Amino acid sequence: DARVTQTPRHKVTEMGQEVTMRCQPILGHNTVFWYRQTMMQGLELLAYFRNRAPLDDSGMPKDRFSAEMPDATLATLKIQPSEPRDSAVYFCASVRVTDTQYFGPGTRLTVL
Amino acid sequence: QKEVEQNSGPLSVPEGAIASLNCTYSDRGSQSFFWYRQYSGKSPELIMSIYSNGDKEDGRFTAQLNKASQYVSLLIRDSQPSDSATYLCAVNIVSSSGDKLTFGTGTRLAVRP
């Protein structure tokens, strides 16, 4: 049963610290999305990659967020420095070409 | 105007009733539409996709699409307490950088036993 995996599942950190979230897409899926979900804003697209190349990161605060895909089995989202307003659930999703998006379980981030 | 709009709810229906969830979108060029279900504390999961005007049925779920009115809906027949969740409408937006899903903020459905 192929699934998107994300680590860590929960992260509590202090303001100013660096946070790195990891995602392993489903094998064979060539497009990876990063979303952020909050009660107020709902599900927002931060960035996405196709065949490891970044296609759109316009939803991401550029000064503190960065997203990379060092290889086909790993996508990372980094926040440096983190702020309390970054507290949210971060989801990764993967899709094969233009098929259904499959979501990972999410990383629940709390910045104190 | 938001690209995808949904009534946040909560929508409360008794068990066995029909739940009707609605969504409007702004991009007339959109061709693909999806309904995701999200239980509290869980990730979204796809329950229906629809690409053509009209109705598409899958078990107790029916998706309806009207591109002229830029409107997509989800009907849940014989609602069960296990259907209580947030339902997210998603629309595929095609841009110069590729196509991507834009989500509504979701409608919370509560099915009363």
Side-chain angles (χ1 to χ4, degrees), chain A residues 3-78:
Chain A
R3 296 185 184 189
V4 177
T5 58
Q6 289 185 247
T7 57
R9 294 292 307 277
H10 302 273
K11 177 72 176 179
V12 180
T13 190
E14 294 192 345
M15 183 173 62
Q17 296 298 304
E18 177 178 300
V19 175
T20 298
M21 291 170 270
R22 294 176 175 81
C23 167
Q24 182 173 8
I26 294 173
L27 190 63
H29 284 196
N30 70 339
T31 306
V32 175
F33 299 82
W34 281 106
Y35 293 94
R36 175 172 62 185
Q37 188 173 42
T38 61
M39 289 292 292
M40 293 300 294
Q41 299 297 327
L43 202 60
E44 302 174 280
L45 179 65
L46 297 175
Y48 74 107
F49 296 79
R50 181 159 292 149
N51 297 321
R52 296 177 54 202
L55 284 191
D56 188 344
D57 62 0
S58 59
M60 209 163 62
K62 300 293 192 305
D63 56 337
R64 299 184 299 109
F65 284 59
S66 61
E68 295 180 343
M69 200 161 176
D71 63 61
T73 64
L74 177 65
T76 62
L77 180 66
K78 188 176 295 186

Side-chain angles (χ1 to χ4, degrees), chain B residues 96-111:
Chain B
S96 56
S97 57
D99 49 330
K100 57 186 179 183
L101 285 186
T102 298
F103 286 82
T105 52
T107 298
R108 191 154 55 91
L109 172 66
V111 180

